[in-house]
Amino acid sequence: GVSLPTCIETPGAADGSSLTTLSQDLGIQKIPWASVLLDHVFPWAHSTKDASARQGLMLAVVKRWQELELSNQHDTCVERLREVPFITSLSNDVLSPADIL
């Protein structure tokens, strides 16, 4: 098969219709945010030893969570997010939301 270029969806972008039109004109497929999170972000977060990078990325994801259109993958993404250690405890341990709860 032919590999097509892809781009990540940008929900809520001010010029979203322009981006959609340009993507269609260029034949670029949109990758749903849920796929990016499940296939790339969460696996990286589990494997990285750089706690500050992991914390920064996960906090950015949480901050913009409602803007991400996760459709039918919302619950799966929430479960995966719960397992990523990115919250610093009072004892300076970095824990996952599941560990804290």
Side-chain angles (χ1 to χ4, degrees):
V2 175
S3 176
L4 297 174
T6 57
C7 70
I8 298 172
E9 292 177 326
T10 54
D15 60 344
S17 62
S18 299
L19 180 60
T20 299
T21 302
L22 178 61
S23 297
Q24 290 171 348
D25 290 347
L26 296 174
I28 299 173
Q29 296 176 330
K30 286 187 179 180
I31 301 172
W33 272 110
S35 295
V36 173
L37 292 173
L38 295 171
D39 296 342
H40 302 286
V41 173
F42 295 138
W44 174 86
H46 278 290
S47 67
T48 187
K49 298 196 184 329
D50 186 345
S52 61
R54 180 179 53 239
Q55 281 182 306
L57 178 59
M58 291 298 100
L59 292 173
V61 167
V62 169
K63 185 176 180 178
R64 300 186 67 103
W65 191 263
Q66 289 187 331
E67 295 174 29
L68 303 176
E69 295 176 3
L70 302 175
S71 60
N72 61 349
Q73 295 291 329
H74 181 268
D75 292 340
T76 304
C77 290
V78 168
E79 288 304 313
R80 295 284 296 277
L81 178 65
R82 290 184 70 226
E83 301 301 322
V84 177
F86 68 96
I87 301 170
T88 305
S89 69
L90 294 174
S91 61
N92 282 331
D93 294 324
V94 179
L95 306 171
S96 70
D99 292 335
I100 293 172
L101 296 174

